[in-house]
Amino acid sequence: MRDAISAPDAEGHPRRTTRRFPLFTRDTARPEGGGRAASGAAPAPARQWPMLLVLSVVGIGLLLTAFDMFRFGMLVVGSALLAGAVLRWVLPGVGMLAVRSRFTDIVTYGVLGLAIVLLALMAQPKPWLEIPFLKDTLHFTLDNN
């Protein structure tokens, strides 16, 4: 059986292919969906509107947090990340909001957004969400007796 032959190199000689990663990376692939969100004729901010939308909402949430509205601010930040996950799922091109593969971006934005929202809902004092077994679990693991 013959070795697999790849496309010719710069000098026209065919190369042998292997399953190993190359020692030096020559180029990188764009993440799927990493194209512009608007046409190339549009100004730069309009081409990156999904990323600007998510960053603007996160900024508003951080501003609310700075003005002593911690719970509302963190709910806004978590909601912005969840919206980023939805945008990444729904839109074919999201510009710089695409970092890795579509699946990885959706899972990352979704898990982080959900964690921030849940932690904001459980924040003390007077949590809006109480998980019954969480208090018992913490007492069991942190008990010195």
Side-chain angles (χ1 to χ4, degrees), residues 25-50:
T25 304
R26 305 262 186 250
D27 60 352
T28 56
R30 296 177 77 166
E32 54 183 270
R36 296 177 174 131
S39 71
R47 291 191 305 256
Q48 299 299 330
W49 70 266

Side-chain angles (χ1 to χ4, degrees), residues 97-134:
L97 194 61
V99 179
R100 294 191 178 10
S101 70
R102 185 177 304 270
F103 176 78
T104 303
D105 285 344
I106 291 170
V107 168
T108 304
Y109 293 139
V111 167
L112 290 175
L114 187 64
I116 291 172
V117 167
L118 287 176
L119 288 172
L121 291 174
M122 293 188 299
Q124 297 289 334
K126 299 178 185 174
W128 292 355
L129 175 67
E130 292 187 23
I131 299 176
F133 63 86
L134 187 61

Side-chain angles (χ1 to χ4, degrees), residues 41-61:
R47 291 191 305 256
Q48 299 299 330
W49 70 266
M51 180 62 130
L52 290 175
L53 176 71
V54 171
L55 285 177
S56 299
V57 175
V58 167
I60 291 169

Side-chain angles (χ1 to χ4, degrees), residues 7-96:
D9 61 7
E11 298 168 359
H13 303 289
R15 296 177 295 188
R16 184 172 161 254
T17 59
T18 66
R19 296 183 67 141
R20 292 184 178 185
F21 289 107
L23 186 58
F24 299 103
T25 304
R26 305 262 186 250
D27 60 352
T28 56
R30 296 177 77 166
E32 54 183 270
R36 296 177 174 131
S39 71
R47 291 191 305 256
Q48 299 299 330
W49 70 266
M51 180 62 130
L52 290 175
L53 176 71
V54 171
L55 285 177
S56 299
V57 175
V58 167
I60 291 169
L62 292 175
L63 194 62
L64 287 172
T65 303
F67 286 127
D68 206 24
M69 291 186 270
F70 169 77
R71 193 179 313 260
F72 290 114
M74 287 297 102
L75 286 173
V76 170
V77 170
S79 301
L81 289 174
L82 290 172
V86 170
L87 287 173
R88 186 70 172 99
W89 183 20
V90 172
L91 297 177
V94 290
M96 289 173 35

